[in-house]
Amino acid sequence: MSTTTRTPQAERTRAMRQRLMEATVECLVERGWSGTSTTLVSQRAGVSRGAQLHHFPSKAALVLAAVEHVASLRGEELAAAAESMPSGSGRTRAVLGMLADHVTGPVFTAALELWVAARTDPTLLEAVAPLEQRMGRQLHRTTVELLGADDADPAQRELVQATLDLARGLGLATTITDDSARRERVLDRWATVLDAALHRRQETP
């Protein structure tokens, strides 16, 4: 009897926390760090203030939980996108497009808000830094695999890192203005550079 009683409650709690996390991400995207409040999040999530405060008694507690949630979402999005990459001559450009989408989507925007806030908040930085390092490693490994690069070759490794730096820079530019047209041209050009570099590597004895 006790198990039957606990299970629905656990499910309700999990669903409530999920709604609060989703609402926090939406608020970070729409209102930014400074405009995100526990009151706004609870309203967006359709959760009473009392229920929210029971799980997350402060904005700090709420945001620290959201840090893990955002990192998890980014990892899931990246893995799903990687599975849909085509083979053949257009693969490099498709990979670059996938990376650009990753750093211009709403989840990345939420992560960016957390990065900015963490710069001057030691508690938040302590939570954000290790997760970003983990995400960075996952992103690097995925890019190496998708491009068929040799991560043991310093030149190839630097090309992959330059690709990721380029993608992040393009993502930052998009937060200010619609930079999609220029972004497409830049990615077209960089795909040509990568294809030439990878082709030379493959043919070098």
Side-chain angles (χ1 to χ4, degrees):
M1 179 68 70
S2 60
T3 301
T4 303
T5 302
R6 282 198 301 269
T7 300
Q9 178 60 41
E11 291 175 353
R12 287 195 294 271
T13 297
R14 183 189 59 77
M16 180 183 296
R17 290 175 67 91
Q18 180 69 18
R19 292 202 306 274
L20 287 168
M21 292 298 94
E22 291 172 353
T24 301
V25 171
E26 291 172 2
C27 288
L28 286 169
V29 172
E30 295 177 11
R31 305 294 185 93
W33 167 258
S34 62
T36 296
S37 66
T38 54
T39 299
L40 188 61
V41 168
S42 63
Q43 291 173 348
R44 176 67 66 91
V47 173
S48 70
R49 283 280 291 159
Q52 182 208 300
L53 292 174
H54 174 72
H55 295 287
F56 305 107
S58 66
K59 179 179 178 179
L62 180 67
V63 170
L64 288 177
V67 168
E68 179 73 42
H69 179 68
V70 168
S72 177
L73 285 179
R74 289 177 64 200
E76 291 171 4
E77 287 185 354
L78 180 65
E83 291 180 356
S84 65
M85 291 298 97
S87 58
S89 60
R91 181 178 177 84
T92 298
R93 181 60 179 83
V95 171
L96 294 182
M98 180 273 286
L99 292 174
D101 289 343
H102 180 72
V103 298
T104 55
V107 176
F108 181 83
T109 300
L112 183 59
E113 288 291 333
L114 293 172
W115 295 353
V116 173
R119 188 180 68 84
T120 54
D121 186 324
T123 301
L124 186 57
L125 179 61
E126 187 177 353
V128 169
L131 289 173
E132 281 306 316
Q133 290 172 358
R134 188 181 76 191
M135 185 65 218
R137 289 192 294 269
Q138 180 184 354
L139 190 59
H140 182 91
R141 285 195 304 269
T142 299
T143 305
V144 166
E145 293 170 3
L146 292 176
L147 291 176
D150 180 3
D151 204 37
D153 181 344
Q156 291 296 310
R157 184 177 179 84
E158 288 173 1
L159 272 177
V160 170
Q161 194 56 54
T163 299
L164 296 177
D165 290 342
L166 173 65
R168 292 189 188 100
L170 293 172
L172 288 173
T174 302
T175 64
I176 303 299
T177 184
D178 182 2
D179 201 39
S180 55
R182 186 180 71 90
R183 181 171 69 246
E184 292 302 307
R185 294 195 300 271
V186 170
L187 294 178
D188 287 344
R189 179 64 64 181
W190 188 243
T192 301
V193 171
L194 284 178
D195 277 335
L198 292 173
H199 182 66
R200 283 199 300 272
R201 177 182 64 82
Q202 292 165 357
E203 291 191 344
T204 299

